Amino acid sequence: MAAVETTQRKVVLIDPATGKPIPPRAHPGYYPGYRTLAQQEYWDEATRKVVLNRIRRVPDIRFFSADEARLMYAICNRILPQDDRDEEHRVPIVPFIDKRLFDGRIDGYRFQSMPPDRQAYNLGLKGIDEIANHLYTSRFLDIGEAEQEIVLKTLHDAKPPAGQEIWDGMSVHRFWMLLVQDCVEVYYAHPWAWDEIGYGGPAYPRGYMRLEGGQPEPWEVEEKRYEWQVSGEFVSDNYEFIAGEAEHFGSPGQGGTH
Amino acid sequence: MKTPLLGEFGSPPARHMLGPIQHIDVPMKRYAETEEVDFCIVGIGSAGGVLLQRLARAGFQVVGFEAGPFWDTERDWVSDESGSHNLYWEDLRITGGSDPLALGANNSGKGVGGGSVHWAAFTPRLHPSDFRIHSEDGVGVDWPMTYEELKPYYEQLELEMPVSGPAYFPWGDPHGYAYGPHPLGGVGDVLVKGCTRLGIRVVAGGPVAILAGSHGDRQHCIYRGFCLQACKVGAKASTLITHVPDALRNGAEIRDNCMVSRVNMNKEGRTCGVSYFDRHGVEHVQKAKVVIVSGYAIETPRLLLNSACPGFENGLANSSDTVGRYLMAQAGNVILGRFDQLVRMYKAPPAHALTEEFYETDPKRGFARGFAIQTVGPLPIAFAKQMMVAKGAWGWGMRRVMMDYNHWAALGLLGEILPWPDNRVQLAAEKDRFGIPVAKVTFNLHDDDKVLANYGKNKVMEVMRAAGAEEVVQESRYAHLVGAARMGADPRTSVVDKYGRTHDIPNLFVCDGSVMPTQGSANPGLTIQALAARTADYLIAYSREIFTSKKRPMEPPPIRRHLAPPETWGKGVPRIANL
Ligand SMILES: Cc1cc2nc3c(=O)[nH]c(=O)nc-3n(C[C@H](O)[C@H](O)[C@H](O)COP(=O)(O)OP(=O)(O)OC[C@H]3O[C@@H](n4cnc5c(N)ncnc54)[C@H](O)[C@@H]3O)c2cc1C
Ligand code: SF4
């Protein structure tokens, strides 16, 4: 499907029924009117503080250089695109990744094939620019968003066409997972993202009453789906198997479940 | 802002909350460092908490060292996924091998209660066959004890936690649970449906160490689904709330935020206590008659290796070169299915239904041992990480699949991986903030493990499809690290005897998941706590011999049921008064 060109930027989202662009909205997702924050008086004090700070206290950039920060914004806009959100309702991602790196907070381990997280970001950002340069003779920041996705896809596939000296010292696909995990960790911690996916959010001390059959609690809402299509040149809307490094099972997951 | 339901926080309380009702008065007892106490326990986690309680109640002087904080659950814990990182061991470890393990949130806890603070609280027992897999199947190794020796401790700990579950549990040594099962959540519904359609027996509502009814000063479950983020409700058992309060009331001391850096030895080849760094980074020494290391399957071997000294150049209790070796993790693949109708898997405890129908060796399958299938309930961030692997999602694909979060259900495989000498914990070149070398973990899957994990994964996918999922994907994962200081009868091939006493040093014990020689397909927590209660009985019965001699009595000690914490004996009605 052809991209629709507007005066400002490429249109990314299309309503398949009408073929028209879907305008950005304050609250995308299939749960119209659902706001976890509206339930905050039912949360405990410690939780409310943590969640509200996420909205009210967006940290300053202290780890990334100004150049790196600009690059990170562009990258995170593709790892978790928010073109369907209006400007006032985009979830800030880079400041929280920056804070983690500035504070030196890690997840409790480092893969042998990886340098420490800070160094991984410094190197990885350079590598991404080198790939952009190789494919488009231009910096990542200066290419179109669809092209940016093509650059990033080479990391997802663990087949970067440039920056070999960087990837020789650092596992490509582990860097990819680090980046994607850091982004989802920030985005899906935000109450607006909870509204978008219909997740209940904090639940103490009230708890849940309707456990079976996917029924909503009285304060939750029924799902109301709408169709949306991503303009064809944006490759991230296709699911392709992630490349892996581990011998027997490719890319084992890293989250805890049981 | 409105007043919180449970009141505003004031200045730091003398009353330390362990749940909305349960509390403990601080400060606690404090021993002088010059005083030689009877027991030092390194790590107050699943095993350490039980040990501390038993030894204190039996009247011994006991100090527990814990690298993490003593939680005040109302202040420190949140009902939030991203805000719960402080529960995990987040300090550096290096992970490698052909199939590197993820650590951190995927594995171990830090803080009083250890991993029992963030576990899902599934509490199945091992099967009798688990204790003799080498005799029966020619793989792995036999335990130096039988199921029957551990059984009374299983029954005892199931009452102390206590465990809710079905009246009849048909696998292994069939048994029932004294406390009633929980209602089904969306994921349990999927497992029960899928299994039933395929003619696979399944149980629901447990066994889980989650209260189905109020108990002492603990409330029952409110089905909020945040078990892995620590239970603020106090419904899910952790040693912080089941055993530590009784320990403190009986004179035990916990030194929290204190990291033990080495176990010290004297000229006679006995340990004389520990060195540790306090919260300000100042190093101290505590003298003790006996040291018990309960630091988890990574930190325990790390500490033993870091304590090398003249006469013990390869680390303490390591004459067999098995400290750090035979580390195990279970194949913990997560199988995700998308359903047309909504599931909303964030509700209810993630752990609430399982089948052990494939647990035992089945010659028809062409491999030894087996696996279990259990419910899991990833919250959004964990689910997004799973989708990154299972579907390769990112960008718009990530946003799209996440909008369908409520349509997905997740089941967990728990497959037995065998003990191999090359799966091990060693010391890395990197050091932590105290200057102590960190652990380096190496993990390689072997052929037997691959075949089993593949078969198991496919079976779970089949169950998911039978339940009606239209799309089924999976991510591989490993869960539950144990081994690395294994027990055995032969000092040449094991670190400790069947009571946790090291073969090499008469007054040094190991008591935690590291002592397990094999792991079965059961979550290890109940077994770890049952072994801890048994080690405690051994220490109590033979304290005189252990304090002063090398004598190694092997006669099983009597089980001391009267030393269990009294308030965990099922009084039923919560104490609402005097909050
Ligand atoms: C997400 C998740 C879900 C789980 N679900 C289940 C489940 O459903 N059922 C189940 O049975 N198991 C489950 N587990 C596993 C279970 O939590 C662990 O197996 C168990 O807690 C291990 O007990 P332990 O006594 O060996 O160590 P831990 O409980 O981890 O205790 C070790 C303690 O020692 C402290 N420590 C370590 N080194 C030092 C030192 N040098 N100085 C001072 N202190 C130190 C640590 O801070 C820690 O608190 C789960 C684990 C995870 C990660
Ligand atoms: S689901 Fe139940 S046991 Fe789990 S955290 Fe919530 S109240 Fe606690």
Side-chain angles (χ1 to χ4, degrees):
Chain A
M1 185 175 333
V4 188
E5 210 59 58
T6 66
T7 45
Q8 280 162 347
R9 58 194 305 158
K10 273 187 192 146
V11 169
V12 184
L13 293 190
I14 296 146
D15 180 343
T18 61
K20 296 229 172 68
I22 301 180
R25 47 179 103 194
H27 301 286
Y30 310 143
Y31 300 88
Y34 175 58
R35 302 284 175 271
T36 41
L37 282 176
Q39 300 300 317
Q40 59 177 282
E41 64 185 272
Y42 296 96
W43 304 350
D44 67 280
E45 178 66 1
T47 303
R48 181 164 44 215
K49 207 150 119 207
V50 162
V51 174
L52 293 184
N53 272 350
R54 224 166 261 162
I55 305 167
R56 292 180 186 157
R57 295 211 196 142
V58 179
D60 295 331
I61 301 291
R62 289 175 297 173
F63 168 74
F64 292 118
S65 69
D67 272 352
E68 284 178 330
R70 267 194 299 279
L71 185 51
M72 271 299 284
Y73 274 103
I75 292 168
C76 294
N77 274 340
R78 294 338 306 158
I79 303 273
L80 273 178
Q82 302 189 46
D83 312 58
D84 55 342
R85 292 182 164 274
D86 64 25
E87 293 288 346
E88 294 74 51
H89 292 89
R90 296 201 175 159
V91 176
I93 294 178
V94 181
F96 291 96
I97 299 181
D98 182 272
K99 180 170 165 45
R100 174 176 92 70
L101 295 168
F102 182 82
D103 294 345
R105 200 168 65 68
I106 60 169
D107 265 347
Y109 58 107
R110 195 182 90 218
F111 290 100
Q112 227 173 346
S113 54
M114 287 296 284
D117 285 0
R118 290 177 178 177
Q119 211 179 325
Y121 269 97
N122 293 145
L123 289 170
L125 292 182
K126 278 202 196 78
I128 288 172
D129 247 347
E130 287 194 26
I131 300 168
N133 201 34
H134 175 87
L135 293 178
Y136 301 104
T137 51
S138 200
R139 300 187 53 200
F140 186 85
L141 276 173
D142 301 330
I143 58 180
E145 289 159 329
E147 289 74 28
Q148 290 179 336
E149 289 205 350
I150 290 169
V151 169
L152 293 173
K153 173 96 179 350
T154 66
L155 299 184
H156 173 274
D157 299 342
K159 288 186 187 126
Q164 229 41 64
E165 65 301 341
I166 289 172
W167 311 117
D168 283 348
M170 168 166 92
S171 155
V172 186
H173 101 280
R174 293 235 182 265
F175 173 69
W176 174 250
M177 287 172 72
L178 178 70
L179 189 60
V180 177
Q181 293 193 92
D182 272 345
C183 289
V184 299
E185 175 92 38
V186 177
Y187 187 83
Y188 292 104
H190 201 285
W192 297 340
W194 300 340
D195 299 344
E196 171 188 322
I197 66 174
Y199 164 64
Y204 170 79
R206 178 170 56 183
Y208 294 118
M209 296 168 264
R210 295 165 141 179
L211 305 183
E212 259 190 287
Q215 281 192 80
E217 304 293 326
W219 61 89
E220 296 176 324
V221 304
E222 302 277 357
E223 184 191 46
K224 218 168 135 210
R225 298 180 75 84
Y226 57 85
E227 293 302 318
W228 52 283
Q229 231 167 40
V230 178
S231 163
E233 63 204 291
F234 285 83
V235 292
S236 74
D237 200 30
N238 307 318
Y239 297 103
E240 273 182 44
F241 200 65
I242 188 171
E245 177 190 63
E247 231 163 68
H248 306 302
F249 284 112
S251 260
Q254 294 168 35
T257 43
H258 63 301
Chain B
M1 179 172 302
K2 301 237 170 90
T3 309
L5 284 188
L6 296 164
E8 296 283 3
F9 290 140
S11 52
R15 208 154 249 192
H16 188 106
M17 299 310 289
L18 299 178
I21 305 172
Q22 199 181 4
H23 57 79
I24 186 105
D25 292 328
V26 286
M28 59 188 95
K29 186 176 180 73
R30 173 85 202 206
Y31 288 98
E33 282 166 14
T34 46
E35 223 172 317
E36 183 185 60
V37 297
D38 296 323
F39 296 98
C40 270
I41 303 172
V42 183
I44 301 303
S46 290
V50 174
L51 272 176
L52 186 80
Q53 185 271 333
R54 288 296 204 276
L55 295 173
R57 192 163 257 275
F60 291 99
Q61 296 180 319
V62 48
V63 180
F65 291 89
E66 172 49 53
F70 191 126
W71 304 111
D72 180 302
T73 62
E74 277 294 308
R75 287 165 183 266
D76 299 339
W77 292 355
V78 289
S79 196
D80 179 69
E81 206 182 357
S82 171
S84 298
H85 280 280
N86 57 342
L87 302 176
Y88 312 119
W89 188 282
E90 295 242 294
D91 306 322
L92 182 66
R93 289 158 170 169
I94 310 293
T95 181
S98 64
D99 302 273
L101 299 172
L103 306 172
N106 195 40
N107 278 299
S108 50
K110 184 173 179 181
V112 175
S116 71
V117 163
H118 64 73
W119 68 337
F122 262 126
T123 44
R125 301 177 187 177
L126 289 176
H127 288 197
S129 64
D130 281 315
F131 294 77
R132 36 171 214 267
I133 69 171
H134 191 261
S135 315
E136 291 196 357
D137 294 307
V139 295
V141 65
D142 287 356
W143 286 50
M145 65 162 97
T146 60
Y147 170 82
E148 281 64 36
E149 279 178 70
L150 200 54
K151 178 173 175 172
Y153 290 95
Y154 275 143
E155 291 171 341
Q156 180 61 32
L157 265 296
E158 281 165 1
L159 288 176
E160 289 178 32
M161 288 178 175
V163 177
S164 307
Y168 183 70
F169 187 84
W171 301 285
D173 173 22
H175 58 279
Y177 292 93
Y179 293 80
H182 288 273
L184 270 188
V187 180
D189 203 31
V190 163
L191 181 64
V192 169
K193 224 184 270 168
C195 285
T196 306
R197 286 188 185 143
L198 296 175
I200 300 166
R201 288 180 299 177
V202 59
V203 297
V208 281
I210 295 176
L211 295 178
S214 299
H215 195 91
D217 43 14
R218 292 171 52 200
Q219 296 185 339
H220 61 68
C221 180
I222 60 170
Y223 304 103
R224 71 195 251 278
F226 278 94
C227 301
L228 269 52
Q229 286 69 31
C231 181
K232 277 192 92 142
V233 179
K236 188 190 71 172
S238 71
T239 56
L240 174 70
I241 62 173
T242 56
H243 289 81
V244 163
D246 191 57
L248 297 184
R249 276 194 287 275
N250 283 283
E253 179 193 341
I254 293 180
R255 259 172 242 173
D256 61 330
N257 288 305
C258 285
M259 173 78 185
V260 173
S261 51
R262 60 164 44 240
V263 176
N264 297 322
M265 299 292 296
N266 67 14
K267 285 191 224 70
E268 286 86 58
R270 296 175 65 88
T271 165
C272 52
V274 298
S275 298
Y276 68 97
F277 289 93
D278 68 14
R279 68 184 71 213
H280 309 293
V282 179
E283 195 168 12
H284 304 263
V285 169
Q286 175 67 53
K287 286 202 236 156
K289 296 193 180 107
V290 172
V291 173
I292 310 158
V293 183
S294 304
Y296 191 68
I298 298 177
E299 294 305 314
T300 287
R302 175 190 175 204
L303 180 61
L304 295 176
L305 295 173
N306 269 326
S307 301
C309 61
F312 297 92
E313 281 76 8
N314 297 327
L316 299 186
N318 198 19
S319 64
S320 60
D321 187 31
T322 38
V323 169
R325 291 188 187 273
Y326 303 103
L327 178 75
M328 290 169 281
Q330 285 159 328
N333 300 51
V334 176
I335 283 73
L336 301 128
R338 190 192 183 282
F339 292 80
D340 208 24
Q341 70 280 17
L342 271 74
V343 178
R344 292 189 189 262
M345 68 175 156
Y346 56 87
K347 299 182 189 184
H352 68 267
L354 62 81
T355 173
E356 292 187 353
E357 198 69 4
F358 307 98
Y359 195 109
E360 301 282 341
T361 299
D362 175 356
K364 287 199 289 285
R365 295 194 298 237
F367 57 84
R369 306 307 297 159
F371 56 92
I373 306 175
Q374 305 184 333
T375 53
V376 293
L379 297 184
I381 294 170
F383 181 72
K385 292 179 180 177
Q386 287 162 350
M387 284 295 140
M388 168 185 73
V389 171
K391 271 177 81 82
W394 66 284
W396 287 113
M398 181 65 85
R399 289 282 313 281
R400 188 185 285 284
V401 70
M402 287 302 292
M403 286 199 199
D404 276 352
Y405 171 66
N406 281 340
H407 284 268
W408 287 80
L411 296 175
L413 170 72
L414 215 53
E416 177 165 0
I417 287 178
L418 298 169
W420 307 103
D422 57 332
N423 288 339
R424 65 190 297 200
V425 177
Q426 294 163 287
L427 298 179
E430 287 85 348
K431 300 199 166 112
D432 68 9
R433 65 196 161 102
F434 303 115
I436 316 168
V438 305
K440 179 181 146 204
V441 180
T442 304
F443 193 70
N444 309 306
L445 282 184
H446 291 239
D447 287 341
D448 308 46
D449 311 325
K450 287 181 256 173
V451 176
L452 183 149
N454 254 324
Y455 184 98
K457 169 202 84 180
N458 290 336
K459 183 58 79 179
V460 187
M461 292 178 100
E462 196 184 322
V463 170
M464 190 63 99
R465 280 189 205 101
E470 62 214 18
E471 179 187 356
V472 180
V473 294
Q474 74 97 30
E475 71 158 12
S476 21
R477 240 188 94 249
Y478 310 96
H480 305 149
L481 269 66
V482 295
R486 70 176 182 182
M487 64 163 74
D490 186 347
R492 288 167 306 179
T493 56
S494 59
V495 180
V496 298
D497 69 19
K498 63 178 178 173
Y499 301 111
R501 193 178 191 181
T502 60
H503 294 301
D504 298 353
I505 301 168
N507 60 342
L508 175 63
F509 283 70
V510 177
C511 180
D512 60 13
S514 352
V515 303
M516 292 171 67
T518 63
Q519 58 180 348
S521 305
N523 322 55
L526 173 70
T527 300
I528 290 171
Q529 292 193 33
L531 286 169
R534 183 164 173 278
T535 290
D537 278 347
Y538 182 83
L539 290 164
I540 293 164
Y542 300 115
S543 60
R544 199 150 0 106
E545 287 86 339
I546 297 164
F547 286 163
T548 58
S549 78
K550 284 187 177 174
K551 266 187 245 148
R552 191 176 288 271
M554 289 313 274
E555 184 66 23
I559 178 166
R560 288 177 157 76
R561 292 187 197 277
H562 62 280
L563 291 182
E567 76 269 27
T568 59
W569 283 50
K571 292 193 183 128
V573 184
R575 278 190 265 134
I576 309 265
N578 70 20
L579 179 66

